[in-house]
Amino acid sequence: MKKLKVQSHAIKKPYKIKKMGTSGLRETQHVYNQPMFLEQFIQGIALFFKELTDDREIAEKNKTIIVAGDPREGNRERIRRIASILGANGFDILIAKDGIASTPAMSHAIRQLNVAGGIILTASHNPFTDVGIKVNMSDGAPANDRDIQRINELQNKVKSVHLIDYDRFAEMEKITEIDIVAIYADLLDKIFDFDEMKNAIEKNGIRGAFDCMYGAAGPFAEEIFINRLNMDADLLRSEPREDLGGYDKKGNPLHPEPDFDYIGLLKEHNSSGEYDIVSAWDSDVDRRLDGGKDFFIESADEFALFAKYSHLINISALYREKIFFCRSTVTAATIDLMLPFLQEKYPSKSIQIIETPTGFKWIAELGNWGVEESNGVGNPYLREKDGIFSTCFLLKIMLETGKTPRQLMEEIWAQFGRVYFTRGEVSGARATEARQLTKILDNAGKLVGKKFGGLVLESAGSWDYIHPETGSIASKKAAWVLKFSQGNTIKARFSGTGSGGYMLRVYCSKYDKKFNLPKSEITKQMKSAFDDFLKKSGFPGKSRQYTDKNQPDAYKKKKK
Ligand code: VG1
Ligand code: CO
């Protein structure tokens, strides 16, 4: 076959490209759209995959990379550009229909089709004014810390970008469209047995409402819940849109994030009490908020439910000797309470509860059975967090037990107790403020014994991640940990997904055997203590969003 002409563009003044953060690199549209920025970024990734595929002698057929993502502005053109760079560097390309794929579907397709990796174009929960790119490896997992480091070195050393003509490359059948929706739906069918579920759904007359948030979820939800499960379901905002919903009334871009601030319509549907199951998924469908019958389930709680019913997806068949139940360290420790129960449930396996840093790559590399507080949960069948998997699993449990989400959760809490949890933030634009916060938190140990709000600071320090398989420190200072009196714990860390300014995420949690208290009553104390701690340490900025108003609260205070 005739070879295509490769054009090389010399990069005289390379951009200083940042290392990928919690999940890929997120920058504003403006940054990604600078001349040759995307090109330099992708050329670096191409060099990285070349290194891997040459060094590790991966067979010639593995010189293939899948490219797709969420529908945000500019992604379609970016996919073409990316394909022509990868093509010029010797790779064949697989593209999803319309360029749209969820992150978990990409993860699964990479492994299923046995390719070298994937480039996922998504800034996930960030609004359409941001652009993001994630890189996943041949096992389907997000690039780990070491790989990210290497990619970044290569990106910043790019001397020239190679390109070929996209259309001519496509004519040579080097670009193939794949039906990623079907590939992914087949996996869920294998895990859950859709035929069986379909019959049970029909028998029980299950109704659903699902909010696709104008992201990549629409085609997946349609195929799974409507076509395959034949469910009576309302799909809200299911058409993938470039603006992911556009702006709110105040002129701020909407975040495609399954959080109370952004799912008003679904909340209304749920509070009608008419829907057995409801769910919202973020723009790349790796996170979810599930519920039903006027009830929403918090992430860590839902994972506890999944652990209890893990036999329904036959997880023990996937693990030889040990099963890791992971949670990121800042996530409510609900799963930890279940250790004796899980040991009894799986007597022939060694059960370990693992705390990881934030970012699903840490959980993925351990086999991917874990949870993050930010509405991400994984399953051991693929190597990403997965929103629709979660919704299907909840549905499966409901069908098996005939119980509502609230009843299922109340059983868990009655058996194991409840970890009350909330996530807040301190954010701003100034780097000096961020540095000051770092200093304050680093020095918190000196304030042990002092009273803040109504609570006494009992200990303060930071948490390092010791890798359970290597035994060495894999991530230093992954969170600050402040323990206050009466079992109140606050953790904090800087967000790694923003495209400007800083955001310190603040996580409050407290265990109680009693489960039916209004959540805000418990978390309020911690919020006041942390605010007071910042004030007394001389921090001028403001904290916000601990009010729990934007989070599920199963037992609201009765209005007088
Ligand atoms: C946030 C979440 C984290 C999640 C990450 C990527 O990161 O807190 O739990 O893994 O987003 O999710 P950060 O660094 O802003 O706290 V996704 O679905 O937006 O790619
Ligand atoms: Co996401």
Side-chain angles (χ1 to χ4, degrees):
M1 199 184 291
K2 225 174 80 193
K3 272 206 151 181
L4 273 182
K5 209 173 136 221
V6 174
Q7 288 182 345
S8 295
H9 288 258
I11 302 280
K12 294 210 180 81
K13 267 202 207 151
Y15 294 98
K16 173 85 191 84
I17 293 177
K18 277 192 228 145
K19 210 176 117 180
M20 289 190 263
T22 315
S23 184
L25 180 75
R26 304 194 192 173
E27 298 280 12
T28 57
Q29 288 271 353
H30 170 76
V31 170
Y32 262 105
N33 291 344
Q34 296 171 101
M36 298 307 279
F37 181 90
L38 177 75
E39 288 78 358
Q40 184 187 330
F41 189 91
I42 297 299
Q43 179 64 42
I45 295 174
L47 292 174
F48 170 75
F49 276 117
K50 266 177 105 152
E51 228 175 50
L52 279 187
T53 44
D54 294 346
D55 276 12
R56 295 184 196 170
E57 290 176 359
I58 294 179
E60 193 61 25
K61 76 171 172 41
N62 277 350
K63 289 235 164 192
T64 300
I65 291 175
I66 312 184
V67 189
D70 70 32
R72 76 185 60 224
E73 188 179 295
N75 274 0
R76 269 179 188 247
E77 296 76 41
R78 282 183 200 107
I79 289 175
R80 288 176 67 94
R81 200 69 174 161
I82 290 171
S84 64
I85 297 168
L86 294 177
N89 283 279
F91 292 93
D92 290 355
I93 321 292
L94 301 179
I95 296 187
K97 185 165 170 284
D98 299 323
I100 290 180
S102 72
T103 292
M106 288 287 279
S107 168
H108 171 59
I110 291 167
R111 268 217 299 194
Q112 178 77 11
L113 304 174
N114 195 19
V115 300
I119 294 180
I120 312 174
L121 283 101
T122 179
S124 191
H125 61 274
N126 297 33
F128 81 103
T129 46
D130 281 349
V131 178
I133 292 184
K134 304 179 178 183
V135 177
N136 285 38
M137 312 294 289
S138 60
D139 63 351
N144 65 22
D145 234 24
R146 203 186 48 242
D147 293 328
I148 285 175
Q149 180 64 37
R150 183 66 188 144
I151 290 172
N152 192 242
E153 282 163 19
L154 290 167
Q155 285 172 326
N156 283 310
K157 277 202 290 205
V158 166
K159 297 244 158 35
S160 62
V161 173
H162 309 303
L163 287 149
I164 48 169
D165 184 82
Y166 179 93
D167 293 318
R168 303 227 4 235
F169 192 53
E171 274 163 26
M172 289 168 67
E173 293 175 3
K174 293 289 207 177
I175 300 177
T176 312
E177 188 178 287
I178 55 170
D179 188 350
I180 201 160
V181 174
I183 293 172
Y184 175 76
D186 287 349
L187 171 73
L188 289 197
D189 188 3
K190 193 181 103 193
I191 302 174
F192 294 113
D193 191 343
F194 281 167
D195 269 343
E196 194 191 294
M197 282 179 79
K198 190 166 126 182
N199 293 335
I201 286 168
E202 199 187 342
K203 215 170 95 207
N204 294 288
I206 298 287
R207 273 188 82 187
F210 303 116
D211 188 349
C212 305
M213 307 196 83
Y214 296 125
F220 290 90
E222 168 116 37
E223 174 65 10
I224 288 160
F225 296 103
I226 311 287
N227 299 349
R228 299 213 183 183
L229 292 172
N230 198 23
M231 190 169 168
D232 175 10
D234 295 0
L235 296 187
L236 313 174
R237 306 195 284 175
S238 61
E239 142 215 357
R241 264 171 59 168
E242 284 197 354
D243 67 357
L244 302 169
Y247 295 89
D248 67 11
K249 285 188 193 120
K250 289 185 189 147
N252 298 314
L254 290 167
H255 294 230
E257 168 154 37
D259 183 290
F260 276 13
D261 287 337
Y262 306 107
I263 56 164
L265 191 59
L266 186 76
K267 270 177 73 186
E268 270 172 34
H269 275 67
N270 198 14
S271 55
S272 75
E274 283 168 24
Y275 296 88
D276 302 287
I277 184 164
V278 303
S279 194
W281 306 290
D282 75 337
S283 81
D284 64 330
V285 214
D286 58 348
R287 296 194 287 133
R288 58 49 175 120
L289 185 63
D290 292 329
K293 293 262 178 218
D294 199 17
F295 179 81
F296 280 102
I297 315 178
E298 286 181 62
S299 192
D301 285 338
E302 195 173 18
F303 185 58
L305 180 69
F306 291 170
K308 178 172 169 182
Y309 289 97
S310 43
H311 55 277
L312 293 182
I313 59 163
N314 197 17
I315 70 156
S316 68
L318 300 174
Y319 296 94
R320 276 210 197 129
E321 289 134 25
K322 52 186 172 193
I323 309 180
F324 290 135
F325 286 81
C326 309
R327 66 171 171 90
S328 72
T329 187
V330 296
T331 301
T334 320
I335 190 70
D336 303 37
L337 307 170
M338 296 174 73
L339 182 59
F341 168 89
L342 292 169
Q343 280 165 336
E344 222 171 280
K345 187 174 176 76
Y346 295 109
S348 65
K349 312 269 175 186
S350 130
I351 306 292
Q352 278 173 275
I353 310 279
I354 307 287
E355 274 179 69
T356 68
T358 294
F360 223 75
K361 51 183 180 270
W362 299 105
I363 294 176
E365 67 175 12
L366 294 178
N368 210 54
W369 182 227
V371 68
E372 289 194 297
E373 91 301 339
S374 57
N375 291 327
V377 67
N379 70 78
Y381 288 87
L382 50 72
R383 296 283 171 268
E384 272 286 1
K385 50 188 162 27
D386 186 347
I388 291 185
F389 159 82
S390 177
T391 310
C392 281
F393 197 0
L394 175 63
L395 181 59
K396 176 98 180 167
I397 297 169
M398 287 165 58
L399 295 170
E400 287 288 324
T401 60
K403 291 182 178 147
T404 65
R406 178 185 285 275
Q407 287 168 335
L408 290 166
M409 274 328 304
E410 285 182 338
E411 281 179 3
I412 296 271
W413 291 331
Q415 192 175 353
F416 304 103
R418 179 172 170 200
V419 182
Y420 290 85
F421 179 87
T422 197
R423 175 173 102 164
E425 67 179 62
V426 179
S427 53
R430 294 211 201 112
T432 48
E433 269 178 33
R435 280 197 292 275
Q436 195 180 0
L437 275 172
T438 304
K439 217 164 145 196
I440 289 172
L441 287 159
D442 279 343
N443 290 318
K446 293 181 188 150
L447 300 174
V448 167
K450 295 227 159 34
K451 203 166 177 187
F452 299 101
L455 302 172
V456 177
L457 182 64
E458 290 181 342
S459 72
S462 61
W463 180 82
D464 298 332
Y465 175 49
I466 298 169
H467 200 284
E469 275 165 345
T470 65
S472 58
I473 296 180
S475 175
K476 261 191 105 59
K477 264 179 77 169
W480 285 285
V481 184
L482 278 68
K483 293 210 162 139
F484 289 89
S485 45
Q486 298 156 30
N488 291 287
T489 303
I490 292 190
K491 297 190 180 181
R493 53 173 280 281
F494 282 103
S495 159
T497 59
S499 61
Y502 72 89
M503 185 198 282
L504 183 80
R505 294 202 193 273
V506 183
Y507 311 85
C508 309
S509 74
K510 185 188 175 180
Y511 170 80
D512 207 308
K513 231 184 133 21
K514 246 203 240 147
F515 65 80
N516 56 0
L517 305 166
K519 175 166 128 177
S520 43
E521 244 169 53
I522 307 245
T523 53
K524 197 169 65 190
Q525 274 201 317
M526 283 182 268
K527 169 188 158 44
S528 320
F530 194 68
D531 277 351
D532 195 32
F533 161 79
L534 287 185
K535 211 167 114 203
K536 288 190 175 135
S537 307
F539 182 67
K542 270 220 162 86
S543 62
R544 60 182 187 96
Q545 281 193 14
Y546 297 65
T547 55
D548 306 321
K549 272 198 207 117
N550 63 342
Q551 299 185 22
D553 196 347
Y555 306 95
K556 292 219 183 71
K557 217 179 184 164
K558 297 226 168 55
K559 285 195 190 108
K560 283 185 192 134

